[in-house]
Amino acid sequence: MAGGGPTRRISAASARAHTRKAKQKSSIPLPSGTFAKILLVVLIGLLAWGYQATRPPLPKICGSPDGPPVTAPRIKLSDGRHLAYKEFGVPRENAKYKIVYIHGYDECRHDVPSNILSQDVIESLGVYIVSFDRPGYGESDPNPKRAVKSLAFDVQELADQLGLGSKFYVIGFSMGGQAVWTCLRYIPHRLAGAALIAPVVNYWWPKLPVNMSLEAFDLQLPQDKWTLRVAHYLPWLTYLWNTQKFFPACSAASHNPAVFSSKDLELISKQSSSQDYRAQVRQGGEYESLHRDLMISFGTWEFDPTDLDNPFPNNEGSVHLWQGAEDKLSPVILQRYIAQQLPWIQYHEIPGAGHLVPMIDGMGEKIVNTLLTA
């Protein structure tokens, strides 16, 4: 009994000493070099995640082993890319008028308005129309080097390979209408005439009055303002922004009805629901179609459309701009200004119409007839 007490006291004292040493050891800070290494590893991990998050997946090339099948006729461009197309109207070798139609955002070669011309008018006038998948859409190969000017030269190559002659007409709707500006800038000598239908306006074109541009920009939905800001100022973040799930991104890509006028919604409700080709539009991947469209359309342009010269100074052709007064996607105030700055453009404003001008009954025929006979 007597011998047991001191042993327990010593054991208790040893335990307390051991505890103090453990606390002292745990309070010793990590060497600065170790902390720096941990911080560096974490930083590298975050950067690697960020890099991967901003990198889009590789596109699916039509005709490749892992890509969609080729079902449309295609031409091979000088840089090796393929361009898919679809022909309408009389045979091109018999046509009096030859038209290249350029589709809009989230569309493809099939999206030529069904009522653009009646068969009687096509045959009586002798009209041939070719529509093509813009790069990255449908069955056309993407163009990783795509720039503002590149589509104009794609149009020129398409016309040359199909044998459309020294001059042809171009019609473009929405972002396809915006592309017509590039044809007027880079290949005006190849054009017999041009029609821009509700062309998308880049709010950052330098000659647009700042107050007017801001007024038009403020008409856009909040989510679209952010989408366009990212496309213009931070294009390398476009893929991440349009695929993240925290905030809504491009409303046009999600078919948000809020971007359409009441007239547009009425037209959409009458549209045929048997659009079997819709899956083809984005089959190559959304980055090379939808996202690159945003980066090109709202990026920094090499020219300002309001600086363009009249491509037909001797009235050997004409240029027309068709615009709905209630268009929510391409605000009318900017179209009016552009038309005022370019008096050689024949401006046609449709009261009550929204963005989907060519879908209005009889409007497609009116647009084509005006272009060919003006």
Side-chain angles (χ1 to χ4, degrees):
M1 291 289 293
T7 303
R8 286 195 296 273
R9 284 196 295 273
I10 292 171
S11 298
S14 298
R16 286 193 294 273
H18 179 75
T19 301
R20 284 195 300 272
K21 289 181 180 179
K23 288 182 177 178
Q24 289 172 357
K25 185 176 181 180
S26 64
S27 64
I28 296 174
L30 290 171
S32 57
T34 303
F35 178 76
K37 290 178 182 178
I38 294 174
L39 183 60
L40 181 61
V41 169
V42 171
L43 181 60
I44 291 174
L46 290 173
L47 289 174
W49 173 86
Y51 176 77
Q52 290 298 325
T54 59
R55 299 293 295 173
L58 293 175
K60 299 176 181 178
I61 307 298
C62 284
S64 66
D66 298 324
V70 176
T71 64
R74 305 198 302 176
I75 63 165
K76 188 173 184 179
L77 300 170
S78 58
D79 62 2
R81 290 181 295 116
H82 293 89
L83 212 63
Y85 64 92
K86 183 177 181 179
E87 298 174 290
F88 305 83
V90 302
R92 59 178 179 264
E93 59 272 15
N94 300 330
K96 180 180 179 181
Y97 300 104
K98 298 168 184 177
I99 300 172
V100 177
Y101 182 87
I102 309 174
H103 69 76
Y105 185 76
D106 201 15
E107 294 185 335
C108 70
R109 67 188 182 280
H110 298 294
D111 284 297
V112 177
S114 58
N115 65 344
I116 195 163
L117 281 182
S118 66
Q119 191 60 36
D120 289 342
V121 173
I122 284 176
E123 293 179 358
S124 63
L125 290 179
V127 178
Y128 163 88
I129 302 173
V130 59
S131 174
F132 67 97
D133 291 334
R134 293 195 285 113
Y137 281 101
E139 295 184 27
S140 287
D141 294 339
N143 182 2
K145 297 181 180 179
R146 184 176 162 194
V148 173
K149 65 171 67 174
S150 59
L151 189 64
F153 297 109
D154 286 354
V155 169
Q156 180 171 248
E157 278 202 69
L158 175 68
D160 287 342
Q161 291 202 37
L162 294 182
L164 301 191
S166 60
K167 288 183 179 290
F168 50 88
Y169 295 85
V170 289
I171 298 177
F173 168 61
S174 192
M175 279 191 179
Q178 188 187 61
V180 172
W181 290 122
T182 69
C183 293
L184 291 168
R185 171 64 178 84
Y186 294 108
I187 58 168
H189 57 289
R190 300 300 306 275
L191 304 182
L196 305 96
I197 309 173
V200 170
V201 176
N202 184 333
Y203 300 98
W204 289 273
W205 284 337
K207 293 296 182 69
L208 293 178
V210 174
N211 291 342
M212 186 182 294
S213 187
L214 288 174
E215 179 184 349
F217 188 75
D218 283 341
L219 296 175
Q220 303 303 301
L221 296 176
Q223 67 196 71
D224 289 333
K225 292 179 186 178
W226 282 108
T227 297
L228 301 186
R229 289 185 186 113
V230 169
H232 181 77
Y233 294 110
L234 301 168
W236 53 277
L237 276 180
T238 298
Y239 171 74
L240 176 61
W241 177 259
N242 284 281
T243 54
Q244 52 79 31
K245 305 300 181 184
F246 298 102
F247 305 101
C250 180
S251 57
S254 62
H255 304 289
N256 186 340
V259 300
F260 296 109
S261 70
S262 57
K263 180 65 175 178
D264 287 336
L265 294 174
E266 179 185 330
L267 292 168
I268 291 171
S269 68
K270 296 178 181 179
Q271 194 176 28
S272 172
S273 59
S274 60
Q275 295 178 316
D276 298 332
Y277 63 84
R278 293 311 304 173
Q280 292 185 26
V281 174
R282 308 183 188 184
Q283 66 182 356
E286 293 187 8
Y287 179 76
E288 291 294 346
S289 52
L290 306 185
H291 302 169
R292 200 174 287 279
D293 250 2
L294 294 171
M295 291 187 288
I296 296 297
S297 294
F298 298 100
T300 301
W301 280 39
E302 302 111 351
F303 72 97
D304 190 310
T306 60
D307 282 335
L308 289 175
D309 294 325
N310 184 356
F312 308 113
N314 299 317
N315 296 321
E316 65 273 31
S318 59
V319 181
H320 301 262
L321 197 163
W322 299 82
Q323 175 66 30
E326 307 300 325
D327 193 331
K328 292 186 176 183
L329 286 166
S330 299
V332 68
I333 58 172
L334 296 180
Q335 308 287 22
R336 290 171 181 166
Y337 176 81
I338 292 170
Q340 289 170 358
Q341 300 306 301
L342 302 174
W344 44 269
I345 284 184
Q346 298 185 37
Y347 179 65
H348 312 270
E349 188 173 305
I350 316 302
H355 191 64
L356 304 180
V357 171
M359 289 177 58
I360 299 173
D361 286 341
M363 188 57 65
E365 192 164 305
K366 184 176 182 179
I367 290 171
V368 174
N369 266 315
T370 302
L371 174 64
L372 301 182
T373 60

